[in-house]
Amino acid sequence: MNVFLSYTRLKDQFSKVSQFRERLENEMQLREPGSQVFQDTNNLGDGQHFPEELEVAIRAADVFLALVSPAYLKSEWCRREFHLFTSNVTDSSQLHRIVPVLWVKTPEMQSSSPDNMAWTLSTINHSDWRDLRYESWDQPQNQRVIGKLAENIVNLGRSPMGHTASTSSPVVETTSKHELTGIELVLIPGNRFWMGSAPGKGEENEEPRHAVTLSKFELGKYPVTREQYKRFLKENRKVKPPPFWNDRRFNQDRHPVVGVTWEAAQAYVKWAGLRLPTEAEWEYACRASSEANYCSGDTERELKHVGWYAGNSGGRLQEVGRLPPNAYGLCDLHGNVWEWCSDWYKAKYDPRDAIDPQGPECGDDRVLRGGTWYDPAPLARSAYRLFHHPASVISSVGFRVARGSGTRK
């Protein structure tokens, strides 16, 4: 159980905050062993980059505990912490995970503007522990209030959070394991979504933005790994390993297999009784109901929590599953390796609404999606499109499997 303690560093209150944190954590651990209350000065040491470490702690938190005061509501730093947590809450019904404690009498809590942090805090349903002033919280008559607060927080943390990268409502993840390959397949619900980018919001080949309706299908939780590709090679002795197979940079079992041509990927999925995803399926799954640049938001700062790119990969291919999944339960769609799609590439989309589109009937190149570990952030956007000849051999190209609606090309 992880609680992030958000507060202002006022000198006359600072020691009381630290004492409060310690007592609350002790009370929580009596109810949920291993519980932690994160306080910056307690959990961070010299040499650590505070903004980055705080962001990591906020995104990992099950409950956001705000010690509210007039100074808190005016603090840009506290506002940033607050909005980081709310951007990580996937459903508005989960806002009760923000627990405001009135640390100092705060008339501003009566603000009526929905855009105001105070208004949001004041509309959350609290219990009788809402009013817990810093000057008296440690008095004997208030000790039971700390226990009550701990009990409520533990109960909040035990209910499903839906901690995902997307800001949209999460989907309950339904997975199955493909026996032949060992691949985890995630059921993706059918729906209508907007594919591509509006003019001026992306590249020209991402236009026009258009409505697409998809039936439900299954998609690999991760790109096909080297370990999963080994099974194919073992059962098909005449098939040669892809280039870079023995390259030390790419030869860990949980690395995505790379250097695979579109044709080789097709051979693999045909052997497995699966298929490649269509371009529309890939983008829909990557977005996971988000219309932002990434499933996690619009900015590069938000990308780094869900995808490997030039800004966070350390210049090397990463093993699958090291970053959190999106709202559909899928990992590594942003960055790490480009992924082949089944479609032929065309520079402009068909602007008409489409149902389970399969792309052009013919072409010279096949579509790639996702970006790589060495690309800049914009190439990892959900809408970004790349293309290559189906026989191209590239050390940053892999693939992901699909099953269900759609066609095998």
PDB file of all heavy atoms in Angstrom, residues 193-212 279-280 283 287 345-354 357 369 383 385:
ATOM      1  N   PHE A 193     -13.517   4.563 -32.973  1.00  0.00           N
ATOM      2  CA  PHE A 193     -12.522   5.529 -32.519  1.00  0.00           C
ATOM      3  C   PHE A 193     -12.090   6.414 -33.678  1.00  0.00           C
ATOM      4  O   PHE A 193     -12.372   6.135 -34.846  1.00  0.00           O
ATOM      5  CB  PHE A 193     -11.310   4.804 -31.906  1.00  0.00           C
ATOM      6  CG  PHE A 193     -10.296   4.287 -32.902  1.00  0.00           C
ATOM      7  CD1 PHE A 193      -9.046   4.887 -33.014  1.00  0.00           C
ATOM      8  CD2 PHE A 193     -10.578   3.193 -33.724  1.00  0.00           C
ATOM      9  CE1 PHE A 193      -8.099   4.419 -33.908  1.00  0.00           C
ATOM     10  CE2 PHE A 193      -9.642   2.716 -34.627  1.00  0.00           C
ATOM     11  CZ  PHE A 193      -8.400   3.326 -34.713  1.00  0.00           C
ATOM     12  N   TRP A 194     -11.391   7.497 -33.321  1.00  0.00           N
ATOM     13  CA  TRP A 194     -10.856   8.408 -34.329  1.00  0.00           C
ATOM     14  C   TRP A 194      -9.419   8.023 -34.621  1.00  0.00           C
ATOM     15  O   TRP A 194      -8.565   8.052 -33.747  1.00  0.00           O
ATOM     16  CB  TRP A 194     -10.937   9.848 -33.838  1.00  0.00           C
ATOM     17  CG  TRP A 194     -12.339  10.381 -33.847  1.00  0.00           C
ATOM     18  CD1 TRP A 194     -13.198  10.467 -32.792  1.00  0.00           C
ATOM     19  CD2 TRP A 194     -13.040  10.866 -34.991  1.00  0.00           C
ATOM     20  NE1 TRP A 194     -14.394  10.989 -33.198  1.00  0.00           N
ATOM     21  CE2 TRP A 194     -14.335  11.237 -34.544  1.00  0.00           C
ATOM     22  CE3 TRP A 194     -12.718  11.014 -36.337  1.00  0.00           C
ATOM     23  CZ2 TRP A 194     -15.301  11.763 -35.392  1.00  0.00           C
ATOM     24  CZ3 TRP A 194     -13.678  11.539 -37.187  1.00  0.00           C
ATOM     25  CH2 TRP A 194     -14.945  11.905 -36.716  1.00  0.00           C
ATOM     26  N   MET A 195      -9.167   7.686 -35.870  1.00  0.00           N
ATOM     27  CA  MET A 195      -7.842   7.243 -36.301  1.00  0.00           C
ATOM     28  C   MET A 195      -7.130   8.380 -37.032  1.00  0.00           C
ATOM     29  O   MET A 195      -7.743   9.129 -37.794  1.00  0.00           O
ATOM     30  CB  MET A 195      -7.972   6.038 -37.224  1.00  0.00           C
ATOM     31  CG  MET A 195      -6.652   5.427 -37.667  1.00  0.00           C
ATOM     32  SD  MET A 195      -6.930   3.923 -38.646  1.00  0.00           S
ATOM     33  CE  MET A 195      -5.234   3.449 -39.007  1.00  0.00           C
ATOM     34  N   GLY A 196      -5.822   8.515 -36.791  1.00  0.00           N
ATOM     35  CA  GLY A 196      -5.044   9.536 -37.469  1.00  0.00           C
ATOM     36  C   GLY A 196      -4.970  10.833 -36.686  1.00  0.00           C
ATOM     37  O   GLY A 196      -5.298  10.891 -35.497  1.00  0.00           O
ATOM     38  N   SER A 197      -4.547  11.895 -37.378  1.00  0.00           N
ATOM     39  CA  SER A 197      -4.356  13.196 -36.738  1.00  0.00           C
ATOM     40  C   SER A 197      -5.062  14.279 -37.529  1.00  0.00           C
ATOM     41  O   SER A 197      -5.142  14.219 -38.766  1.00  0.00           O
ATOM     42  CB  SER A 197      -2.864  13.541 -36.651  1.00  0.00           C
ATOM     43  OG  SER A 197      -2.174  12.615 -35.842  1.00  0.00           O
ATOM     44  N   ALA A 198      -5.553  15.287 -36.822  1.00  0.00           N
ATOM     45  CA  ALA A 198      -6.144  16.455 -37.463  1.00  0.00           C
ATOM     46  C   ALA A 198      -5.042  17.269 -38.134  1.00  0.00           C
ATOM     47  O   ALA A 198      -3.866  17.184 -37.755  1.00  0.00           O
ATOM     48  CB  ALA A 198      -6.878  17.293 -36.431  1.00  0.00           C
ATOM     49  N   PRO A 199      -5.379  18.084 -39.144  1.00  0.00           N
ATOM     50  CA  PRO A 199      -4.371  18.906 -39.819  1.00  0.00           C
ATOM     51  C   PRO A 199      -3.569  19.744 -38.828  1.00  0.00           C
ATOM     52  O   PRO A 199      -4.128  20.371 -37.927  1.00  0.00           O
ATOM     53  CB  PRO A 199      -5.218  19.794 -40.739  1.00  0.00           C
ATOM     54  CG  PRO A 199      -6.426  18.986 -41.017  1.00  0.00           C
ATOM     55  CD  PRO A 199      -6.716  18.243 -39.743  1.00  0.00           C
ATOM     56  N   GLY A 200      -2.255  19.719 -38.987  1.00  0.00           N
ATOM     57  CA  GLY A 200      -1.383  20.490 -38.117  1.00  0.00           C
ATOM     58  C   GLY A 200      -1.032  19.809 -36.812  1.00  0.00           C
ATOM     59  O   GLY A 200      -0.217  20.317 -36.038  1.00  0.00           O
ATOM     60  N   LYS A 201      -1.610  18.652 -36.536  1.00  0.00           N
ATOM     61  CA  LYS A 201      -1.357  17.951 -35.276  1.00  0.00           C
ATOM     62  C   LYS A 201      -0.368  16.797 -35.426  1.00  0.00           C
ATOM     63  O   LYS A 201       0.082  16.229 -34.435  1.00  0.00           O
ATOM     64  CB  LYS A 201      -2.675  17.389 -34.716  1.00  0.00           C
ATOM     65  CG  LYS A 201      -3.700  18.446 -34.360  1.00  0.00           C
ATOM     66  CD  LYS A 201      -3.244  19.314 -33.202  1.00  0.00           C
ATOM     67  CE  LYS A 201      -4.319  20.292 -32.780  1.00  0.00           C
ATOM     68  NZ  LYS A 201      -3.889  21.159 -31.652  1.00  0.00           N
ATOM     69  N   GLY A 202      -0.037  16.441 -36.660  1.00  0.00           N
ATOM     70  CA  GLY A 202       0.876  15.331 -36.883  1.00  0.00           C
ATOM     71  C   GLY A 202       1.488  15.433 -38.270  1.00  0.00           C
ATOM     72  O   GLY A 202       1.588  16.516 -38.843  1.00  0.00           O
ATOM     73  N   GLU A 203       1.884  14.306 -38.835  1.00  0.00           N
ATOM     74  CA  GLU A 203       2.431  14.280 -40.189  1.00  0.00           C
ATOM     75  C   GLU A 203       1.299  14.224 -41.214  1.00  0.00           C
ATOM     76  O   GLU A 203       0.170  13.807 -40.908  1.00  0.00           O
ATOM     77  CB  GLU A 203       3.340  13.053 -40.357  1.00  0.00           C
ATOM     78  CG  GLU A 203       4.471  12.959 -39.349  1.00  0.00           C
ATOM     79  CD  GLU A 203       5.483  14.075 -39.501  1.00  0.00           C
ATOM     80  OE1 GLU A 203       5.684  14.548 -40.630  1.00  0.00           O
ATOM     81  OE2 GLU A 203       6.071  14.477 -38.476  1.00  0.00           O
ATOM     82  N   GLU A 204       1.617  14.600 -42.448  1.00  0.00           N
ATOM     83  CA  GLU A 204       0.580  14.617 -43.481  1.00  0.00           C
ATOM     84  C   GLU A 204       0.015  13.234 -43.750  1.00  0.00           C
ATOM     85  O   GLU A 204      -1.163  13.091 -44.092  1.00  0.00           O
ATOM     86  CB  GLU A 204       1.141  15.220 -44.782  1.00  0.00           C
ATOM     87  CG  GLU A 204       1.355  16.726 -44.709  1.00  0.00           C
ATOM     88  CD  GLU A 204       1.744  17.313 -46.057  1.00  0.00           C
ATOM     89  OE1 GLU A 204       1.717  16.559 -47.055  1.00  0.00           O
ATOM     90  OE2 GLU A 204       2.066  18.504 -46.106  1.00  0.00           O
ATOM     91  N   ASN A 205       0.860  12.197 -43.604  1.00  0.00           N
ATOM     92  CA  ASN A 205       0.356  10.853 -43.906  1.00  0.00           C
ATOM     93  C   ASN A 205      -0.523  10.289 -42.789  1.00  0.00           C
ATOM     94  O   ASN A 205      -1.012   9.161 -42.889  1.00  0.00           O
ATOM     95  CB  ASN A 205       1.500   9.885 -44.220  1.00  0.00           C
ATOM     96  CG  ASN A 205       2.367   9.568 -43.018  1.00  0.00           C
ATOM     97  OD1 ASN A 205       2.256  10.187 -41.953  1.00  0.00           O
ATOM     98  ND2 ASN A 205       3.247   8.600 -43.190  1.00  0.00           N
ATOM     99  N   GLU A 206      -0.745  11.090 -41.725  1.00  0.00           N
ATOM    100  CA  GLU A 206      -1.667  10.697 -40.662  1.00  0.00           C
ATOM    101  C   GLU A 206      -3.063  11.263 -40.909  1.00  0.00           C
ATOM    102  O   GLU A 206      -3.968  11.086 -40.089  1.00  0.00           O
ATOM    103  CB  GLU A 206      -1.148  11.191 -39.310  1.00  0.00           C
ATOM    104  CG  GLU A 206       0.197  10.599 -38.925  1.00  0.00           C
ATOM    105  CD  GLU A 206       0.864  11.345 -37.770  1.00  0.00           C
ATOM    106  OE1 GLU A 206       0.148  12.043 -37.013  1.00  0.00           O
ATOM    107  OE2 GLU A 206       2.090  11.245 -37.633  1.00  0.00           O
ATOM    108  N   GLU A 207      -3.244  11.934 -42.028  1.00  0.00           N
ATOM    109  CA  GLU A 207      -4.511  12.567 -42.367  1.00  0.00           C
ATOM    110  C   GLU A 207      -5.212  11.800 -43.491  1.00  0.00           C
ATOM    111  O   GLU A 207      -4.587  11.063 -44.237  1.00  0.00           O
ATOM    112  CB  GLU A 207      -4.259  14.012 -42.797  1.00  0.00           C
ATOM    113  CG  GLU A 207      -3.577  14.887 -41.761  1.00  0.00           C
ATOM    114  CD  GLU A 207      -3.214  16.255 -42.304  1.00  0.00           C
ATOM    115  OE1 GLU A 207      -3.766  16.651 -43.367  1.00  0.00           O
ATOM    116  OE2 GLU A 207      -2.350  16.923 -41.716  1.00  0.00           O
ATOM    117  N   PRO A 208      -6.533  12.023 -43.605  1.00  0.00           N
ATOM    118  CA  PRO A 208      -7.382  12.772 -42.685  1.00  0.00           C
ATOM    119  C   PRO A 208      -7.751  11.937 -41.459  1.00  0.00           C
ATOM    120  O   PRO A 208      -7.798  10.711 -41.516  1.00  0.00           O
ATOM    121  CB  PRO A 208      -8.623  13.057 -43.527  1.00  0.00           C
ATOM    122  CG  PRO A 208      -8.702  11.890 -44.462  1.00  0.00           C
ATOM    123  CD  PRO A 208      -7.283  11.515 -44.771  1.00  0.00           C
ATOM    124  N   ARG A 209      -7.984  12.630 -40.360  1.00  0.00           N
ATOM    125  CA  ARG A 209      -8.497  11.960 -39.179  1.00  0.00           C
ATOM    126  C   ARG A 209      -9.890  11.453 -39.506  1.00  0.00           C
ATOM    127  O   ARG A 209     -10.714  12.199 -40.046  1.00  0.00           O
ATOM    128  CB  ARG A 209      -8.543  12.945 -38.013  1.00  0.00           C
ATOM    129  CG  ARG A 209      -8.913  12.361 -36.666  1.00  0.00           C
ATOM    130  CD  ARG A 209      -8.643  13.404 -35.586  1.00  0.00           C
ATOM    131  NE  ARG A 209      -8.920  12.898 -34.250  1.00  0.00           N
ATOM    132  CZ  ARG A 209     -10.021  13.178 -33.558  1.00  0.00           C
ATOM    133  NH1 ARG A 209     -10.942  13.980 -34.082  1.00  0.00           N
ATOM    134  NH2 ARG A 209     -10.200  12.688 -32.348  1.00  0.00           N
ATOM    135  N   HIS A 210     -10.172  10.204 -39.199  1.00  0.00           N
ATOM    136  CA  HIS A 210     -11.416   9.614 -39.653  1.00  0.00           C
ATOM    137  C   HIS A 210     -11.921   8.574 -38.661  1.00  0.00           C
ATOM    138  O   HIS A 210     -11.149   8.019 -37.873  1.00  0.00           O
ATOM    139  CB  HIS A 210     -11.236   8.977 -41.033  1.00  0.00           C
ATOM    140  CG  HIS A 210     -10.199   7.898 -41.074  1.00  0.00           C
ATOM    141  ND1 HIS A 210      -8.853   8.145 -40.862  1.00  0.00           N
ATOM    142  CD2 HIS A 210     -10.298   6.563 -41.276  1.00  0.00           C
ATOM    143  CE1 HIS A 210      -8.177   7.013 -40.949  1.00  0.00           C
ATOM    144  NE2 HIS A 210      -9.026   6.031 -41.186  1.00  0.00           N
ATOM    145  N   ALA A 211     -13.201   8.317 -38.704  1.00  0.00           N
ATOM    146  CA  ALA A 211     -13.823   7.380 -37.772  1.00  0.00           C
ATOM    147  C   ALA A 211     -13.667   5.950 -38.267  1.00  0.00           C
ATOM    148  O   ALA A 211     -13.861   5.658 -39.447  1.00  0.00           O
ATOM    149  CB  ALA A 211     -15.299   7.708 -37.598  1.00  0.00           C
ATOM    150  N   VAL A 212     -13.317   5.070 -37.359  1.00  0.00           N
ATOM    151  CA  VAL A 212     -13.151   3.646 -37.675  1.00  0.00           C
ATOM    152  C   VAL A 212     -13.876   2.825 -36.609  1.00  0.00           C
ATOM    153  O   VAL A 212     -13.797   3.145 -35.416  1.00  0.00           O
ATOM    154  CB  VAL A 212     -11.657   3.247 -37.699  1.00  0.00           C
ATOM    155  CG1 VAL A 212     -11.497   1.739 -37.807  1.00  0.00           C
ATOM    156  CG2 VAL A 212     -10.946   3.931 -38.856  1.00  0.00           C
ATOM    157  N   GLU A 279      -3.408  -2.067 -39.389  1.00  0.00           N
ATOM    158  CA  GLU A 279      -2.930  -0.772 -38.902  1.00  0.00           C
ATOM    159  C   GLU A 279      -3.957  -0.114 -37.987  1.00  0.00           C
ATOM    160  O   GLU A 279      -3.603   0.481 -36.966  1.00  0.00           O
ATOM    161  CB  GLU A 279      -2.618   0.141 -40.094  1.00  0.00           C
ATOM    162  CG  GLU A 279      -2.013   1.467 -39.681  1.00  0.00           C
ATOM    163  CD  GLU A 279      -1.627   2.337 -40.867  1.00  0.00           C
ATOM    164  OE1 GLU A 279      -2.142   2.118 -41.989  1.00  0.00           O
ATOM    165  OE2 GLU A 279      -0.813   3.263 -40.668  1.00  0.00           O
ATOM    166  N   ALA A 280      -5.236  -0.248 -38.337  1.00  0.00           N
ATOM    167  CA  ALA A 280      -6.284   0.341 -37.499  1.00  0.00           C
ATOM    168  C   ALA A 280      -6.334  -0.332 -36.133  1.00  0.00           C
ATOM    169  O   ALA A 280      -6.474   0.333 -35.101  1.00  0.00           O
ATOM    170  CB  ALA A 280      -7.638   0.227 -38.200  1.00  0.00           C
ATOM    171  N   GLU A 283      -3.347   0.952 -33.980  1.00  0.00           N
ATOM    172  CA  GLU A 283      -3.503   2.297 -33.409  1.00  0.00           C
ATOM    173  C   GLU A 283      -4.579   2.327 -32.330  1.00  0.00           C
ATOM    174  O   GLU A 283      -4.415   2.978 -31.288  1.00  0.00           O
ATOM    175  CB  GLU A 283      -3.827   3.312 -34.505  1.00  0.00           C
ATOM    176  CG  GLU A 283      -3.943   4.726 -33.964  1.00  0.00           C
ATOM    177  CD  GLU A 283      -4.061   5.795 -35.045  1.00  0.00           C
ATOM    178  OE1 GLU A 283      -3.494   5.601 -36.153  1.00  0.00           O
ATOM    179  OE2 GLU A 283      -4.709   6.821 -34.776  1.00  0.00           O
ATOM    180  N   ARG A 287      -3.782   3.437 -28.528  1.00  0.00           N
ATOM    181  CA  ARG A 287      -4.455   4.578 -27.909  1.00  0.00           C
ATOM    182  C   ARG A 287      -5.161   4.177 -26.617  1.00  0.00           C
ATOM    183  O   ARG A 287      -5.201   4.937 -25.656  1.00  0.00           O
ATOM    184  CB  ARG A 287      -5.481   5.185 -28.880  1.00  0.00           C
ATOM    185  CG  ARG A 287      -4.855   5.947 -30.035  1.00  0.00           C
ATOM    186  CD  ARG A 287      -5.912   6.657 -30.855  1.00  0.00           C
ATOM    187  NE  ARG A 287      -5.317   7.431 -31.938  1.00  0.00           N
ATOM    188  CZ  ARG A 287      -4.769   8.627 -31.794  1.00  0.00           C
ATOM    189  NH1 ARG A 287      -4.732   9.187 -30.603  1.00  0.00           N
ATOM    190  NH2 ARG A 287      -4.263   9.253 -32.828  1.00  0.00           N
ATOM    191  N   TYR A 345       0.970   0.086 -47.413  1.00  0.00           N
ATOM    192  CA  TYR A 345       1.032   1.507 -47.054  1.00  0.00           C
ATOM    193  C   TYR A 345       0.456   2.374 -48.165  1.00  0.00           C
ATOM    194  O   TYR A 345       0.706   2.164 -49.355  1.00  0.00           O
ATOM    195  CB  TYR A 345       2.477   1.938 -46.794  1.00  0.00           C
ATOM    196  CG  TYR A 345       2.636   3.432 -46.589  1.00  0.00           C
ATOM    197  CD1 TYR A 345       2.265   4.023 -45.388  1.00  0.00           C
ATOM    198  CD2 TYR A 345       3.136   4.245 -47.611  1.00  0.00           C
ATOM    199  CE1 TYR A 345       2.403   5.396 -45.198  1.00  0.00           C
ATOM    200  CE2 TYR A 345       3.275   5.610 -47.429  1.00  0.00           C
ATOM    201  CZ  TYR A 345       2.899   6.184 -46.219  1.00  0.00           C
ATOM    202  OH  TYR A 345       3.022   7.531 -46.035  1.00  0.00           O
ATOM    203  N   LYS A 346      -0.324   3.387 -47.771  1.00  0.00           N
ATOM    204  CA  LYS A 346      -0.819   4.432 -48.661  1.00  0.00           C
ATOM    205  C   LYS A 346      -0.660   5.755 -47.948  1.00  0.00           C
ATOM    206  O   LYS A 346      -0.921   5.861 -46.747  1.00  0.00           O
ATOM    207  CB  LYS A 346      -2.298   4.177 -49.001  1.00  0.00           C
ATOM    208  CG  LYS A 346      -2.850   5.120 -50.061  1.00  0.00           C
ATOM    209  CD  LYS A 346      -4.297   4.757 -50.391  1.00  0.00           C
ATOM    210  CE  LYS A 346      -4.864   5.690 -51.453  1.00  0.00           C
ATOM    211  NZ  LYS A 346      -6.279   5.352 -51.785  1.00  0.00           N
ATOM    212  N   ALA A 347      -0.243   6.787 -48.678  1.00  0.00           N
ATOM    213  CA  ALA A 347       0.127   8.059 -48.046  1.00  0.00           C
ATOM    214  C   ALA A 347      -1.039   8.812 -47.436  1.00  0.00           C
ATOM    215  O   ALA A 347      -0.847   9.658 -46.573  1.00  0.00           O
ATOM    216  CB  ALA A 347       0.844   8.948 -49.058  1.00  0.00           C
ATOM    217  N   LYS A 348      -2.262   8.511 -47.866  1.00  0.00           N
ATOM    218  CA  LYS A 348      -3.436   9.174 -47.304  1.00  0.00           C
ATOM    219  C   LYS A 348      -4.478   8.117 -46.936  1.00  0.00           C
ATOM    220  O   LYS A 348      -4.665   7.137 -47.651  1.00  0.00           O
ATOM    221  CB  LYS A 348      -4.057  10.151 -48.316  1.00  0.00           C
ATOM    222  CG  LYS A 348      -3.241  11.415 -48.545  1.00  0.00           C
ATOM    223  CD  LYS A 348      -3.364  12.383 -47.364  1.00  0.00           C
ATOM    224  CE  LYS A 348      -2.641  13.690 -47.646  1.00  0.00           C
ATOM    225  NZ  LYS A 348      -2.720  14.624 -46.499  1.00  0.00           N
ATOM    226  N   TYR A 349      -5.164   8.352 -45.813  1.00  0.00           N
ATOM    227  CA  TYR A 349      -6.239   7.448 -45.420  1.00  0.00           C
ATOM    228  C   TYR A 349      -7.483   7.675 -46.274  1.00  0.00           C
ATOM    229  O   TYR A 349      -7.711   8.760 -46.800  1.00  0.00           O
ATOM    230  CB  TYR A 349      -6.625   7.703 -43.961  1.00  0.00           C
ATOM    231  CG  TYR A 349      -5.630   7.254 -42.930  1.00  0.00           C
ATOM    232  CD1 TYR A 349      -5.148   8.147 -41.985  1.00  0.00           C
ATOM    233  CD2 TYR A 349      -5.192   5.934 -42.876  1.00  0.00           C
ATOM    234  CE1 TYR A 349      -4.262   7.746 -40.995  1.00  0.00           C
ATOM    235  CE2 TYR A 349      -4.297   5.528 -41.900  1.00  0.00           C
ATOM    236  CZ  TYR A 349      -3.831   6.436 -40.969  1.00  0.00           C
ATOM    237  OH  TYR A 349      -2.947   6.031 -40.002  1.00  0.00           O
ATOM    238  N   ASP A 350      -8.312   6.669 -46.360  1.00  0.00           N
ATOM    239  CA  ASP A 350      -9.643   6.810 -46.926  1.00  0.00           C
ATOM    240  C   ASP A 350     -10.485   7.582 -45.912  1.00  0.00           C
ATOM    241  O   ASP A 350     -10.651   7.132 -44.777  1.00  0.00           O
ATOM    242  CB  ASP A 350     -10.247   5.423 -47.158  1.00  0.00           C
ATOM    243  CG  ASP A 350     -11.574   5.483 -47.902  1.00  0.00           C
ATOM    244  OD1 ASP A 350     -12.259   6.523 -47.816  1.00  0.00           O
ATOM    245  OD2 ASP A 350     -11.944   4.489 -48.547  1.00  0.00           O
ATOM    246  N   PRO A 351     -10.994   8.757 -46.277  1.00  0.00           N
ATOM    247  CA  PRO A 351     -11.696   9.600 -45.307  1.00  0.00           C
ATOM    248  C   PRO A 351     -13.060   9.081 -44.881  1.00  0.00           C
ATOM    249  O   PRO A 351     -13.648   9.583 -43.928  1.00  0.00           O
ATOM    250  CB  PRO A 351     -11.833  10.936 -46.046  1.00  0.00           C
ATOM    251  CG  PRO A 351     -11.873  10.554 -47.485  1.00  0.00           C
ATOM    252  CD  PRO A 351     -10.930   9.378 -47.607  1.00  0.00           C
ATOM    253  N   ARG A 352     -13.584   8.088 -45.566  1.00  0.00           N
ATOM    254  CA  ARG A 352     -14.896   7.579 -45.204  1.00  0.00           C
ATOM    255  C   ARG A 352     -14.813   6.720 -43.935  1.00  0.00           C
ATOM    256  O   ARG A 352     -13.791   6.114 -43.660  1.00  0.00           O
ATOM    257  CB  ARG A 352     -15.461   6.738 -46.358  1.00  0.00           C
ATOM    258  CG  ARG A 352     -15.725   7.529 -47.628  1.00  0.00           C
ATOM    259  CD  ARG A 352     -16.041   6.611 -48.781  1.00  0.00           C
ATOM    260  NE  ARG A 352     -14.889   5.743 -49.089  1.00  0.00           N
ATOM    261  CZ  ARG A 352     -14.884   4.835 -50.064  1.00  0.00           C
ATOM    262  NH1 ARG A 352     -15.963   4.655 -50.793  1.00  0.00           N
ATOM    263  NH2 ARG A 352     -13.801   4.118 -50.292  1.00  0.00           N
ATOM    264  N   ASP A 353     -15.904   6.687 -43.199  1.00  0.00           N
ATOM    265  CA  ASP A 353     -15.962   5.797 -42.046  1.00  0.00           C
ATOM    266  C   ASP A 353     -15.719   4.373 -42.530  1.00  0.00           C
ATOM    267  O   ASP A 353     -16.088   3.990 -43.636  1.00  0.00           O
ATOM    268  CB  ASP A 353     -17.338   5.864 -41.384  1.00  0.00           C
ATOM    269  CG  ASP A 353     -17.516   7.137 -40.580  1.00  0.00           C
ATOM    270  OD1 ASP A 353     -16.678   8.048 -40.699  1.00  0.00           O
ATOM    271  OD2 ASP A 353     -18.499   7.210 -39.841  1.00  0.00           O
ATOM    272  N   ALA A 354     -15.100   3.573 -41.693  1.00  0.00           N
ATOM    273  CA  ALA A 354     -14.751   2.216 -42.099  1.00  0.00           C
ATOM    274  C   ALA A 354     -15.044   1.241 -40.972  1.00  0.00           C
ATOM    275  O   ALA A 354     -14.964   1.582 -39.794  1.00  0.00           O
ATOM    276  CB  ALA A 354     -13.278   2.147 -42.489  1.00  0.00           C
ATOM    277  N   PRO A 357     -11.291  -1.975 -41.205  1.00  0.00           N
ATOM    278  CA  PRO A 357     -10.540  -1.723 -42.450  1.00  0.00           C
ATOM    279  C   PRO A 357      -9.281  -2.577 -42.521  1.00  0.00           C
ATOM    280  O   PRO A 357      -8.643  -2.872 -41.513  1.00  0.00           O
ATOM    281  CB  PRO A 357     -10.183  -0.238 -42.342  1.00  0.00           C
ATOM    282  CG  PRO A 357     -10.171   0.045 -40.883  1.00  0.00           C
ATOM    283  CD  PRO A 357     -11.256  -0.811 -40.301  1.00  0.00           C
ATOM    284  N   ARG A 369       4.601   0.525 -37.175  1.00  0.00           N
ATOM    285  CA  ARG A 369       4.109   1.425 -36.127  1.00  0.00           C
ATOM    286  C   ARG A 369       4.960   1.310 -34.864  1.00  0.00           C
ATOM    287  O   ARG A 369       5.544   0.269 -34.588  1.00  0.00           O
ATOM    288  CB  ARG A 369       2.660   1.091 -35.774  1.00  0.00           C
ATOM    289  CG  ARG A 369       1.627   1.462 -36.842  1.00  0.00           C
ATOM    290  CD  ARG A 369       1.628   2.951 -37.147  1.00  0.00           C
ATOM    291  NE  ARG A 369       0.411   3.364 -37.815  1.00  0.00           N
ATOM    292  CZ  ARG A 369      -0.578   4.035 -37.235  1.00  0.00           C
ATOM    293  NH1 ARG A 369      -0.479   4.388 -35.962  1.00  0.00           N
ATOM    294  NH2 ARG A 369      -1.644   4.371 -37.913  1.00  0.00           N
ATOM    295  N   ALA A 383      -0.318   7.853 -33.453  1.00  0.00           N
ATOM    296  CA  ALA A 383      -0.747   8.048 -34.844  1.00  0.00           C
ATOM    297  C   ALA A 383       0.402   7.986 -35.852  1.00  0.00           C
ATOM    298  O   ALA A 383       0.156   7.965 -37.063  1.00  0.00           O
ATOM    299  CB  ALA A 383      -1.458   9.391 -34.981  1.00  0.00           C
ATOM    300  N   ARG A 385       3.168   7.035 -38.484  1.00  0.00           N
ATOM    301  CA  ARG A 385       3.225   5.945 -39.462  1.00  0.00           C
ATOM    302  C   ARG A 385       4.584   5.905 -40.142  1.00  0.00           C
ATOM    303  O   ARG A 385       5.134   6.931 -40.534  1.00  0.00           O
ATOM    304  CB  ARG A 385       2.157   6.126 -40.542  1.00  0.00           C
ATOM    305  CG  ARG A 385       0.762   6.366 -40.032  1.00  0.00           C
ATOM    306  CD  ARG A 385      -0.179   6.671 -41.188  1.00  0.00           C
ATOM    307  NE  ARG A 385      -0.482   5.505 -41.983  1.00  0.00           N
ATOM    308  CZ  ARG A 385      -0.862   5.537 -43.269  1.00  0.00           C
ATOM    309  NH1 ARG A 385      -0.948   6.704 -43.907  1.00  0.00           N
ATOM    310  NH2 ARG A 385      -1.125   4.426 -43.923  1.00  0.00           N
TER     311      ARG A 385
END
